[in-house]
Amino acid sequence: MIKKPMMGMAALILTMPAFAAEQAGQLNAASEANEENIVTDKVKVTSILPDRLEAVPGSFNVVDEKELKARQPFSVREALNQTPGINIVGEDAFALAPNIGIRGMNPRRTQRTLLMEDGMPLFMAPYGDPSAHYSTPLDRVNRIEIVKGSGQTLYGPQTVGGMINFVTKPVPKEFQASVMAIIGNNNFSGGHVNIGTGGDWGGIMLDAVNRKGDGIRKNHDFEINELTLKGQLNLDDRNTLIAKLGWYEEKSSISETGLGEMEWREDKYQAPTGDQDQFNQTRKTLQLKHIFEISEKAKLSTQFYYAETSRASFRQINSPGRYDSDSPGSSTGYSRLDRCPSGAMRDDLSNAAQCGGRWRPRDYEYYGIEPRLDFSHNLFGIESDAVIGFRWHQEDIRRNQFRANGPEVQSQSWAEALGDHREDVRIDVEAKSYYAQNTFYLGNWALTPGIRVEDIRIKTNVVRAEGVTHENPESSLTNNQTKVLPGFGVAWNGIENTTIFAGVHKGFAPPRPDRDIVASAANTAVVHKTKPEESTNWEFGIRSNYFRGVSYEATLFHTKFEEIVINSGAGAFINGGESQHSGIELGGRIDFGQVYNTPHNFYVTGAYTNLFTAKFKKNGQRVQDGIVSGDRLPYAPRHIASVNFGYSHPVGLDARIGVDYVSRQEVDTFARVLDPTDAALSGLAGDIPSYALVNASVSYRPIGSKATFFVSGHNLGDKEYLATRVDGMHAGRQRQVFGGVRYDF
């Protein structure tokens, strides 16, 4: 990875206060006549939701710290499973590679859901490779924000489904510390240490996280470690600097290749080459923010972010069930070793230790700067809140693949030095984003028009790939896109503690590169033929806590895609034409303790999504890619439901038990038109049956105690179920129970 100098950007960050100071008098000339100390605690610099939630013209959900502590979710999957509209496919035990889909979007690697931490994107590369192999550990999280409506205009590039922002804990104003230890079945254990101190000058805080355990399949153990240093410096009453440094490491034996049908029937939890398969990842991040409180009605915040990720996977089985896209009907239902010194060795998986395979090391680097001005004004005599901002973003991506037949290739260093270098693809991205939004307050009404412009240049340089020869020159392709994305939302608050909202916005998701690229075809329609996804997203809904102890929400949504992107098999992505997503989301909570004014609070929470329409609208008959007008979209369950019954008491007790349900799902379209033998045996074709899982948790912190004790269990019935057929059959997680203690100093 070639490092680029950051000094120019850092200098730009430092000059922003001077520029803002020149504008301060224009924005609020009276501020100097009535100077007051600006309390920086009121500045929300990490949230994607505004202060006035009643004016938000779309659906949103917040999972706060209190709920996270009470429920003690095992992973991000359990943290979000009570949020309407969200489908999470769990193919690894700890959701290390999260698969989050919103409103029928394909959840594969969260490609169509914008993930952020404190407003900073979390993808490998947000534009060039929008896939997630990381999400913020919940130990560091203060709350989780989920936004699905027209409020997405301010963020990007993924705005077709929704956004999830992990808001991390703020630095303390005085000495604080906590330690937590947990242990459970499946050899699961972990710990978290948080220590920080602060004062009027600011603060500093250190987080250390460790998690390890066995995976869903045999020999799929994992371990992650993360260190995060966060600091805040209050330069004066108006200027604040916030900095965050992060380092993350993952070492796991998880293979992305699933099982064939015969292997699944014999042992659905086997991993034939798990002893050799590897997935290693390191992630380094830097986030800097400068906040200038121009006045009580104006704030200029400037964010600089940088992320460097290196991930490398080694696998010995490239396709499930011996499926070969170039040889229809070749599947047998049993895996085959990809590369061995002798071809005869490949059919006997006991030879895995003596055979080779393929490494896929990939390096990602991205950075950007984003100044944003938030201010209140009375233009035309109407009370308003406005946002104006700009972001410059750069990405450098390097994708490699090395292969060899012998066991020595199981060492990554050997593979990179002496292996067959089969892929070398370099992708450069420059993206400029401009956005503006204004909320007009007219009595009980809040009207919010907004616009975002994405100007993107993606250059792909294929140095080496499948079929390359020394005579073939390297190939390149430049893809330029400029998209104007308007949005408009309305919120009405004419009923006490109730908001009725409606909105529409234009969504956009840039095309991602093919996984395996043919060098000789890089300048033809064969490669990078996918157009960006564009959508029109409509919403109408209500949220209310009009009755004491009762809160609820209901949202009707309709999304229409112009060029949905789907997996066509063999690592290629194609446009599937038009598609339509329509449904209703319901969520609510009843606290009977508040209803009857008693400290014994029995409560019920529920979330339900009915995706009654999720279909292709392409004209024509069945073709090779399997797209048929009217067919259901892949991995878009019609029903998703979660219901929990709980009890809490001021003595510090919270206990709950619940059920999560996901209905039947369809697989990728290419798998629907496979050769009959491949369809029957590869593991790629067929339904994903419905399943229901029982979960429970208990948390107790005695009055006056600094210790919190908790136990949490997921899939308590130990149900065996199929989670996905992407790259073969993957079982869902077995019963997982863990307990722990947290002590606050």
Side-chain angles (χ1 to χ4, degrees), residues 665-725:
Q665 301 172 69
E666 295 273 7
V667 296
D668 288 312
T669 58
F670 80 90
R672 305 177 196 179
V673 290
L674 291 176
D675 172 272
T677 299
D678 293 331
L681 297 174
S682 67
L684 296 168
D687 290 347
I688 310 294
S690 63
Y691 59 88
L693 308 178
V694 179
N695 310 301
S697 65
V698 178
S699 177
Y700 178 56
R701 179 168 183 164
I703 296 177
S705 174
K706 295 184 178 181
T708 302
F709 306 90
F710 56 87
V711 178
S712 187
H714 306 279
N715 191 10
L716 292 177
D718 203 20
K719 180 178 179 59
E720 296 182 349
Y721 66 98
L722 177 62
T724 177
R725 288 181 179 269

Side-chain angles (χ1 to χ4, degrees), residues 129 302 392 465 684:
D129 195 349
T302 304
W392 178 84
L684 296 168

Side-chain angles (χ1 to χ4, degrees), residues 40-206:
T40 56
D41 299 342
K42 295 181 180 179
V43 180
K44 297 177 68 175
V45 296
T46 59
S47 175
I48 61 174
L49 288 170
D51 291 321
R52 300 175 68 165
L53 294 178
E54 72 279 2
V56 176
S59 60
F60 69 88
N61 300 91
V62 176
V63 182
D64 60 22
E65 187 176 27
K66 179 181 178 182
E67 186 174 357
L68 290 171
K69 287 183 177 179
R71 291 173 50 194
Q72 292 297 328
F74 183 71
S75 69
V76 66
R77 180 183 181 188
E78 290 73 33
L80 297 175
N81 63 1
Q82 294 183 41
T83 302
I86 289 184
N87 176 35
I88 301 181
V89 176
E91 67 182 65
D92 69 75
F94 199 58
L96 297 172
N99 298 298
I100 304 173
I102 294 181
R103 295 180 173 175
M105 307 298 167
N106 195 320
R108 182 65 174 172
R109 299 294 181 260
T110 320
Q111 295 171 11
R112 294 302 175 256
T113 301
L114 179 60
L115 290 184
M116 294 179 285
E117 177 179 312
D118 295 334
M120 172 182 168
L122 288 182
F123 290 120
M124 292 286 191
Y127 290 87
D129 195 349
S131 57
H133 281 271
Y134 169 87
S135 65
T136 306
L138 299 177
D139 308 87
R140 298 197 290 111
V141 173
N142 181 262
R143 69 182 180 277
I144 306 174
E145 302 171 330
I146 305 99
V147 177
K148 292 167 282 185
S150 60
Q152 297 179 72
T153 303
L154 299 179
Y155 300 91
Q158 306 290 343
T159 56
V160 295
M163 308 179 295
I164 298 175
N165 184 40
F166 298 93
V167 181
T168 61
K169 299 174 182 178
V171 296
K173 291 187 174 182
E174 57 187 13
F175 176 78
Q176 291 182 4
S178 67
V179 295
M180 183 175 66
I182 56 178
I183 191 169
N185 65 320
N186 298 321
N187 290 320
F188 180 74
S189 64
H192 173 230
V193 176
N194 172 272
I195 184 170
T197 189
D200 292 338
W201 56 273
I204 190 168
M205 180 177 67
L206 176 67

Side-chain angles (χ1 to χ4, degrees), residues 629-651:
S629 182
D631 275 6
R632 194 160 184 89
L633 295 167
Y635 297 97
R638 182 179 297 272
H639 305 285
I640 304 174
S642 177
V643 61
N644 286 265
F645 301 90
Y647 171 79
S648 62
H649 194 277
V651 296

Side-chain angles (χ1 to χ4, degrees), residues 512-712:
R512 59 166 293 171
D514 286 348
R515 186 172 64 192
D516 297 303
I517 299 175
V518 181
S520 60
N523 286 316
T524 73
V526 176
V527 176
H528 286 279
K529 62 184 178 182
T530 53
K531 301 175 184 177
E533 291 179 315
E534 296 185 56
S535 66
T536 304
N537 303 60
W538 298 82
E539 270 193 335
F540 176 75
I542 181 173
R543 52 180 176 266
S544 175
N545 58 347
Y546 180 84
F547 300 100
R548 185 176 67 177
V550 179
S551 61
Y552 65 90
E553 61 176 290
T555 306
L556 281 167
F557 62 88
H558 173 75
T559 301
K560 181 179 179 182
F561 271 92
E562 296 179 18
E563 288 290 353
I564 192 168
V565 174
I566 62 170
N567 180 7
S568 69
F573 295 87
I574 63 172
N575 290 111
E578 292 186 1
S579 70
Q580 180 178 319
H581 310 241
S582 303
I584 185 170
E585 298 170 347
L586 303 172
R589 175 174 176 132
I590 303 176
D591 289 282
F592 290 98
Q594 295 183 32
V595 174
Y596 294 105
N597 195 26
T598 172
H600 297 280
N601 182 34
F602 291 92
Y603 62 86
V604 180
T605 66
Y608 172 66
T609 304
N610 186 336
L611 187 65
F612 47 76
T613 300
K615 65 181 180 180
F616 292 101
K617 297 186 67 178
K618 180 176 180 178
N619 295 325
Q621 302 299 315
R622 186 176 297 274
V623 291
Q624 186 176 359
D625 54 35
I627 302 171
V628 176
S629 182
D631 275 6
R632 194 160 184 89
L633 295 167
Y635 297 97
R638 182 179 297 272
H639 305 285
I640 304 174
S642 177
V643 61
N644 286 265
F645 301 90
Y647 171 79
S648 62
H649 194 277
V651 296
L653 176 66
D654 192 293
R656 66 159 191 97
I657 185 169
V659 177
D660 298 328
Y661 171 78
V662 178
S663 68
R664 169 187 168 276
Q665 301 172 69
E666 295 273 7
V667 296
D668 288 312
T669 58
F670 80 90
R672 305 177 196 179
V673 290
L674 291 176
D675 172 272
T677 299
D678 293 331
L681 297 174
S682 67
L684 296 168
D687 290 347
I688 310 294
S690 63
Y691 59 88
L693 308 178
V694 179
N695 310 301
S697 65
V698 178
S699 177
Y700 178 56
R701 179 168 183 164
I703 296 177
S705 174
K706 295 184 178 181
T708 302
F709 306 90
F710 56 87
V711 178
S712 187

Side-chain angles (χ1 to χ4, degrees), residues 307-549:
E308 178 189 334
T309 302
S310 296
R311 54 145 290 193
S313 61
F314 176 77
R315 67 168 74 171
Q316 293 188 298
I317 300 172
N318 197 45
S319 298
R322 207 175 300 177
Y323 169 72
D324 185 351
S325 60
D326 294 327
S327 301
S330 61
S331 298
T332 64
Y334 291 97
S335 298
R336 188 180 200 183
L337 296 170
D338 184 34
R339 311 191 72 80
C340 288
S342 168
M345 300 174 64
R346 297 184 182 181
D347 292 330
D348 186 352
L349 299 184
S350 64
N351 295 321
Q354 287 77 47
C355 290
R358 60 183 74 193
W359 276 98
R360 289 186 173 97
R362 296 172 184 174
D363 299 305
Y364 304 85
E365 183 183 57
Y366 65 82
Y367 43 88
I369 186 169
E370 181 177 9
R372 166 173 161 163
L373 180 65
D374 294 69
F375 60 97
S376 300
H377 64 90
N378 289 282
L379 188 64
F380 307 122
I382 302 174
E383 180 187 0
S384 301
D385 287 332
V387 179
I388 300 174
F390 163 78
R391 184 181 71 188
W392 178 84
H393 177 95
Q394 177 77 35
E395 295 176 7
D396 298 302
I397 304 170
R398 178 84 178 267
R399 299 156 59 93
N400 286 287
Q401 184 178 150
F402 300 89
R403 305 180 190 178
N405 292 335
E408 56 276 357
V409 75
Q410 296 171 25
S411 164
Q412 182 181 348
S413 59
W414 187 97
E416 294 183 354
L418 300 172
D420 181 12
H421 194 181
R422 297 297 294 271
E423 181 181 315
D424 184 352
V425 180
R426 305 171 189 187
I427 303 171
D428 296 316
V429 178
E430 182 180 22
K432 300 173 184 177
S433 307
Y434 312 83
Y435 55 87
Q437 179 177 284
N438 193 88
T439 300
F440 299 94
Y441 301 102
L442 299 168
N444 293 323
W445 295 87
L447 311 180
T448 306
I451 191 169
R452 182 179 187 87
V453 178
E454 291 278 3
D455 185 10
I456 309 165
R457 181 194 62 83
I458 303 177
K459 182 178 181 180
T460 302
N461 189 26
V462 182
V463 178
R464 185 186 303 271
E466 289 284 354
V468 71
T469 66
H470 295 295
E471 292 76 21
N472 286 340
E474 66 179 47
S475 303
S476 63
L477 177 75
T478 299
N479 190 344
N480 297 325
Q481 302 283 340
T482 300
K483 299 296 178 182
V484 179
L485 309 171
F488 182 76
V490 179
W492 180 72
N493 296 278
I495 302 174
E496 184 179 2
N497 297 323
T498 301
T499 300
I500 299 175
F501 59 86
V504 59
H505 77 276
K506 192 76 173 179
F508 169 76
R512 59 166 293 171
D514 286 348
R515 186 172 64 192
D516 297 303
I517 299 175
V518 181
S520 60
N523 286 316
T524 73
V526 176
V527 176
H528 286 279
K529 62 184 178 182
T530 53
K531 301 175 184 177
E533 291 179 315
E534 296 185 56
S535 66
T536 304
N537 303 60
W538 298 82
E539 270 193 335
F540 176 75
I542 181 173
R543 52 180 176 266
S544 175
N545 58 347
Y546 180 84
F547 300 100
R548 185 176 67 177

